[in-house]
Protein backbone atom coordinates (compact mmCIF):
# COMPACT_ATOMS: atom_id res chain seq x y z
CA UNK A 1 0.00 0.00 0.00
CA UNK A 2 1.42 3.35 -1.04
CA UNK A 3 -0.14 6.49 0.33
CA UNK A 4 -0.31 9.73 -1.67
CA UNK A 5 -1.20 13.03 -0.04
CA UNK A 6 -1.83 15.95 -2.33
CA UNK A 7 -1.44 19.46 -0.91
CA UNK A 8 -3.40 21.91 -3.04
CA UNK A 9 -5.42 25.11 -3.01
CA UNK A 10 -7.84 23.49 -5.48
CA UNK A 11 -8.98 20.14 -4.04
CA UNK A 12 -11.95 19.90 -6.43
CA UNK A 13 -9.51 19.61 -9.34
CA UNK A 14 -8.93 15.97 -8.37
CA UNK A 15 -12.56 14.89 -7.92
CA UNK A 16 -13.17 13.78 -11.51
CA UNK A 17 -9.88 12.12 -12.40
CA UNK A 18 -9.63 10.15 -9.15
CA UNK A 19 -13.18 8.84 -9.31
CA UNK A 20 -12.59 7.20 -12.68
CA UNK A 21 -11.33 3.84 -13.79
CA UNK A 22 -7.97 2.41 -12.83
CA UNK A 23 -6.94 4.79 -10.04
CA UNK A 24 -10.34 4.51 -8.39
CA UNK A 25 -10.21 0.73 -8.57
CA UNK A 26 -6.69 0.76 -7.10
CA UNK A 27 -8.02 2.78 -4.15
CA UNK A 28 -10.95 0.41 -3.66
CA UNK A 29 -8.59 -2.55 -3.75
CA UNK A 30 -6.50 -0.74 -1.09
CA UNK A 31 -3.39 -0.93 -3.28
CA UNK A 32 -3.01 2.84 -3.01
CA UNK A 33 -4.51 5.47 -0.75
CA UNK A 34 -5.05 9.03 -1.94
CA UNK A 35 -5.83 11.96 0.35
CA UNK A 36 -6.47 15.47 -0.87
CA UNK A 37 -5.56 18.20 1.60
CA UNK A 38 -6.54 21.83 1.25
CA UNK A 39 -3.61 24.13 2.08
CA UNK A 40 -6.15 26.82 2.93
CA UNK A 41 -7.19 24.77 5.98
CA UNK A 42 -3.78 25.62 7.45
CA UNK A 43 -4.12 29.41 7.20
CA UNK A 44 -4.40 31.27 10.48
CA UNK A 45 -6.29 34.45 9.50
CA UNK A 46 -10.03 34.74 9.21
CA UNK A 47 -9.99 35.26 5.41
CA UNK A 48 -7.82 32.15 4.88
CA UNK A 49 -5.29 34.00 2.76
CA UNK A 50 -2.75 31.65 1.22
CA UNK A 51 -0.88 34.03 -1.10
CA UNK A 52 0.74 37.47 -0.96
CA UNK A 53 2.63 40.02 -3.07
CA UNK A 54 6.21 39.20 -4.05
CA UNK A 55 9.01 41.06 -2.24
CA UNK A 56 10.94 43.06 -4.82
CA UNK A 57 7.81 43.56 -6.90
CA UNK A 58 6.85 41.96 -10.18
CA UNK A 59 3.81 40.27 -11.59
CA UNK A 60 1.68 37.69 -9.82
CA UNK A 61 1.37 36.40 -6.30
CA UNK A 62 3.47 34.03 -4.23
CA UNK A 63 2.14 31.30 -1.97
CA UNK A 64 2.81 32.14 1.69
CA UNK A 65 5.21 29.85 3.54
CA UNK A 66 3.35 29.33 6.84
CA UNK A 67 0.27 27.38 5.64
CA UNK A 68 2.43 25.08 3.47
CA UNK A 69 4.91 24.48 6.31
CA UNK A 70 2.08 23.79 8.75
CA UNK A 71 0.39 21.37 6.37
CA UNK A 72 3.64 19.44 5.77
CA UNK A 73 4.50 19.37 9.49
CA UNK A 74 1.06 18.04 10.36
CA UNK A 75 1.57 15.20 7.86
CA UNK A 76 4.98 14.43 9.32
CA UNK A 77 3.43 13.82 12.73
CA UNK A 78 2.24 10.51 11.30
CA UNK A 79 4.43 7.55 10.30
CA UNK A 80 5.90 6.46 7.98
CA UNK A 81 7.69 9.67 7.09
CA UNK A 82 6.70 10.87 3.61
CA UNK A 83 8.86 12.03 0.74
CA UNK A 84 7.75 15.60 -0.01
CA UNK A 85 7.73 16.38 -3.73
CA UNK A 86 7.09 19.86 -5.11
CA UNK A 87 5.81 20.08 -8.69
CA UNK A 88 7.51 22.91 -10.53
CA UNK A 89 8.98 23.65 -13.98
CA UNK A 90 12.26 24.25 -12.06
CA UNK A 91 12.38 20.61 -10.94
CA UNK A 92 14.21 17.61 -12.37
CA UNK A 93 12.52 16.16 -15.48
CA UNK A 94 10.13 13.32 -14.58
CA UNK A 95 10.96 9.97 -16.17
CA UNK A 96 9.73 6.37 -16.17
CA UNK A 97 12.84 5.52 -14.16
CA UNK A 98 11.85 8.01 -11.43
CA UNK A 99 8.25 6.70 -11.45
CA UNK A 100 9.58 3.18 -10.87
CA UNK A 101 11.75 4.36 -7.97
CA UNK A 102 8.95 6.35 -6.35
CA UNK A 103 6.67 3.30 -6.53
CA UNK A 104 8.97 1.69 -3.94
CA UNK A 105 8.10 4.32 -1.32
CA UNK A 106 5.38 3.98 1.30
CA UNK A 107 4.25 7.58 1.42
CA UNK A 108 4.50 10.49 -1.02
CA UNK A 109 3.35 14.07 -0.51
CA UNK A 110 2.71 16.00 -3.73
CA UNK A 111 2.80 19.75 -3.16
CA UNK A 112 1.03 21.76 -5.86
CA UNK A 113 2.19 25.33 -6.39
CA UNK A 114 0.08 28.07 -7.86
CA UNK A 115 0.44 31.67 -9.00
CA UNK A 116 4.12 32.55 -9.46
CA UNK A 117 5.28 29.85 -7.07
CA UNK A 118 5.92 29.26 -3.38
CA UNK A 119 8.11 31.14 -0.93
CA UNK A 120 11.72 29.95 -1.36
CA UNK A 121 12.18 29.30 2.38
CA UNK A 122 9.45 26.70 2.59
CA UNK A 123 10.91 25.09 -0.50
CA UNK A 124 14.36 24.96 1.12
CA UNK A 125 13.23 23.61 4.49
CA UNK A 126 10.27 21.38 3.78
CA UNK A 127 10.62 20.00 0.26
CA UNK A 128 12.72 16.85 -0.39
CA UNK A 129 12.57 16.81 -4.16
CA UNK A 130 11.34 18.94 -7.07
CA UNK A 131 9.85 17.43 -10.21
CA UNK A 132 8.99 18.98 -13.57
CA UNK A 133 6.77 17.06 -15.98
CA UNK A 134 8.21 18.87 -19.01
CA UNK A 135 9.62 22.07 -20.42
CA UNK A 136 6.42 24.10 -20.48
CA UNK A 137 4.62 26.14 -17.86
CA UNK A 138 1.17 25.20 -16.58
CA UNK A 139 -1.20 27.25 -14.42
CA UNK A 140 -0.47 25.13 -11.37
CA UNK A 141 1.00 21.91 -10.03
CA UNK A 142 -2.32 20.04 -9.91
CA UNK A 143 -2.15 18.47 -13.39
CA UNK A 144 1.54 17.57 -12.88
CA UNK A 145 0.71 16.00 -9.48
CA UNK A 146 -1.96 13.89 -11.12
CA UNK A 147 0.49 12.81 -13.82
CA UNK A 148 3.14 11.79 -11.30
CA UNK A 149 0.53 9.97 -9.18
CA UNK A 150 -0.79 8.10 -12.22
CA UNK A 151 2.65 7.10 -13.49
CA UNK A 152 3.74 5.90 -10.02
CA UNK A 153 0.47 4.15 -9.12
CA UNK A 154 0.44 2.00 -12.27
CA UNK A 155 3.88 0.63 -11.32
CA UNK A 156 2.43 -0.75 -8.08
CA UNK A 157 1.86 -4.51 -8.48
CA UNK A 158 -1.83 -5.31 -8.94
CA UNK A 159 -2.92 -1.83 -10.07
CA UNK A 160 -3.01 -2.77 -13.76
CA UNK A 161 -5.28 -5.79 -14.26
CA UNK A 162 -2.55 -7.70 -16.02
CA UNK A 163 0.24 -7.94 -13.40
CA UNK A 164 3.08 -7.02 -15.70
CA UNK A 165 1.51 -5.20 -18.62
CA UNK A 166 3.67 -2.14 -17.80
CA UNK A 167 6.75 -4.16 -18.70
CA UNK A 168 6.07 -3.75 -22.42
CA UNK A 169 5.40 -0.01 -22.17
CA UNK A 170 7.20 2.69 -24.04
CA UNK A 171 10.20 3.68 -21.93
CA UNK A 172 10.00 0.69 -19.63
CA UNK A 173 12.79 -0.82 -21.69
CA UNK A 174 14.02 2.55 -22.87
CA UNK A 175 12.45 2.48 -26.35
CA UNK A 176 8.99 3.22 -27.74
CA UNK A 177 6.19 0.67 -27.81
CA UNK A 178 5.35 -1.47 -30.85
CA UNK A 179 2.05 -0.92 -32.78
CA UNK A 180 -1.10 -2.62 -31.53
CA UNK A 181 -4.01 -4.12 -33.49
CA UNK A 182 -7.38 -5.60 -32.59
CA UNK A 183 -10.39 -6.79 -34.61
CA UNK A 184 -11.48 -6.39 -37.37
CA UNK A 185 -8.77 -7.98 -39.53
CA UNK A 186 -9.38 -5.32 -42.17
CA UNK A 187 -10.18 -1.69 -41.39
CA UNK A 188 -10.61 1.00 -44.09
CA UNK A 189 -8.66 -1.19 -46.48
CA UNK A 190 -5.72 -1.80 -44.13
CA UNK A 191 -5.08 -5.37 -43.00
CA UNK A 192 -3.54 -6.44 -39.71
CA UNK A 193 0.09 -7.45 -40.40
CA UNK A 194 0.15 -11.18 -41.35
CA UNK A 195 2.75 -12.07 -38.70
CA UNK A 196 0.31 -11.14 -35.92
CA UNK A 197 -2.28 -13.56 -37.31
CA UNK A 198 0.21 -16.41 -37.67
CA UNK A 199 0.13 -17.61 -34.05
CA UNK A 200 3.92 -18.02 -34.30
CA UNK A 201 5.05 -16.53 -30.98
CA UNK A 202 8.73 -16.15 -31.75
CA UNK A 203 8.03 -14.44 -35.10
CA UNK A 204 5.50 -12.13 -33.42
CA UNK A 205 8.03 -11.18 -30.77
CA UNK A 206 10.68 -10.44 -33.44
CA UNK A 207 8.21 -8.41 -35.50
CA UNK A 208 7.23 -6.32 -32.45
CA UNK A 209 10.84 -5.68 -31.49
CA UNK A 210 11.68 -4.58 -35.02
CA UNK A 211 8.62 -2.27 -35.18
CA UNK A 212 9.47 -0.77 -31.78
CA UNK A 213 13.05 -0.12 -32.90
CA UNK A 214 11.90 1.34 -36.23
CA UNK A 215 9.45 3.68 -34.51
CA UNK A 216 12.06 4.78 -31.97
CA UNK A 217 14.62 5.41 -34.72
CA UNK A 218 12.07 7.51 -36.61
CA UNK A 219 10.52 9.53 -33.75
CA UNK A 220 12.96 9.48 -30.81
CA UNK A 221 16.46 8.55 -32.00
CA UNK A 222 17.81 10.22 -28.83
CA UNK A 223 16.42 7.31 -26.76
CA UNK A 224 18.62 4.81 -28.60
CA UNK A 225 21.74 6.32 -27.02
CA UNK A 226 20.77 5.06 -23.56
CA UNK A 227 18.41 2.15 -24.23
CA UNK A 228 19.62 -1.35 -23.31
CA UNK A 229 20.08 -2.90 -26.78
CA UNK A 230 21.19 -6.37 -27.80
CA UNK A 231 23.56 -7.17 -30.67
CA UNK A 232 20.52 -8.28 -32.66
CA UNK A 233 18.87 -4.88 -31.96
CA UNK A 234 21.95 -3.12 -33.33
CA UNK A 235 21.89 -5.33 -36.40
CA UNK A 236 18.22 -4.47 -37.01
CA UNK A 237 18.89 -0.76 -36.46
CA UNK A 238 21.76 -0.78 -38.97
CA UNK A 239 19.49 -2.49 -41.48
CA UNK A 240 16.72 0.08 -40.83
CA UNK A 241 19.17 2.98 -41.23
CA UNK A 242 20.30 1.58 -44.61
CA UNK A 243 16.70 1.25 -45.75
CA UNK A 244 16.24 4.91 -44.80
N1 LIG B 1 3.82 23.62 -12.55
C1 LIG B 1 3.66 24.42 -13.62
N2 LIG B 1 4.23 23.89 -14.71
C2 LIG B 1 4.80 22.72 -14.31
C3 LIG B 1 5.55 21.70 -14.96
N3 LIG B 1 5.86 21.78 -16.27
N4 LIG B 1 5.97 20.65 -14.24
C4 LIG B 1 5.67 20.56 -12.93
N5 LIG B 1 4.98 21.49 -12.26
C5 LIG B 1 4.54 22.55 -12.93
Amino acid sequence: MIRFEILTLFPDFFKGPLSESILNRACEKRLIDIRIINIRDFTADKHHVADDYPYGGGAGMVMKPEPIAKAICSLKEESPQPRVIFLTPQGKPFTQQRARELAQLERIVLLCGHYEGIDERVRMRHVDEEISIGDYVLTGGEAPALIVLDAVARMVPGVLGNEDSFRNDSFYEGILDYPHYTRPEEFEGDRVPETLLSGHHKKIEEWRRREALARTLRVRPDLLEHAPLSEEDHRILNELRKLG
Side-chain angles (χ1 to χ4, degrees), residues 6 15 18 21 39 49-50 54 61 69 81 91 124 139-140 147 151 155 170 183 185 190 201 203-204 226 230:
I6 302 179
K15 271 192 191 155
L18 295 181
S21 148
I39 296 169
V49 175
M61 301 292 271
Q81 287 303 294
M124 270 164 33
T139 54
I147 284 166
M155 305 300 287
S170 289
R183 287 185 291 183
E185 255 182 59
D190 291 321
H201 294 294
K203 283 229 171 82
I204 292 172
H226 301 288
S230 67

Side-chain angles (χ1 to χ4, degrees), residues 86-92 94 111-115 130-145 148:
F86 176 48
L87 288 312
T88 167
Q90 277 77 49
K92 271 205 186 162
F94 189 52
L111 170 62
C112 307
H114 242 271
Y115 315 117
E130 299 183 343
I131 289 180
S132 164
I133 60 152
D135 289 339
Y136 37 80
V137 182
L138 302 167
T139 54
E142 281 75 15
V148 170

Side-chain angles (χ1 to χ4, degrees), residues 3 22 32 51 54 74 78 95 108-109 136 139 180 187 191 211 217-218 221 227 236:
R3 190 204 297 182
I22 294 178
I32 59 171
D51 60 329
S74 86
E78 259 181 78
T95 59
I108 296 172
V109 170
Y136 37 80
T139 54
H180 300 263
F187 172 69
R191 283 187 54 75
E211 290 295 317
L217 183 62
R218 191 160 20 95
I236 294 168

Side-chain angles (χ1 to χ4, degrees), residues 24-94:
N24 186 44
R25 203 167 346 112
C27 291
E28 281 173 357
K29 285 202 273 180
R30 311 214 123 272
L31 295 168
I32 59 171
D33 181 29
I34 305 172
R35 301 178 192 180
I36 312 294
I37 296 144
N38 194 339
I39 296 169
R40 217 174 284 284
D41 293 345
F42 293 86
T43 51
D45 64 302
K46 79 170 183 208
H47 296 294
H48 302 290
V49 175
D51 60 329
D52 207 337
Y53 294 97
Y55 275 117
M61 301 292 271
V62 177
M63 282 170 73
K64 291 167 69 62
E66 304 96 319
I68 296 173
K70 266 196 202 158
I72 294 173
C73 287
S74 86
L75 293 176
K76 284 188 174 165
E77 282 169 14
E78 259 181 78
S79 286
Q81 287 303 294
R83 180 153 192 92
V84 180
I85 298 174
F86 176 48
L87 288 312
T88 167
Q90 277 77 49
K92 271 205 186 162
F94 189 52

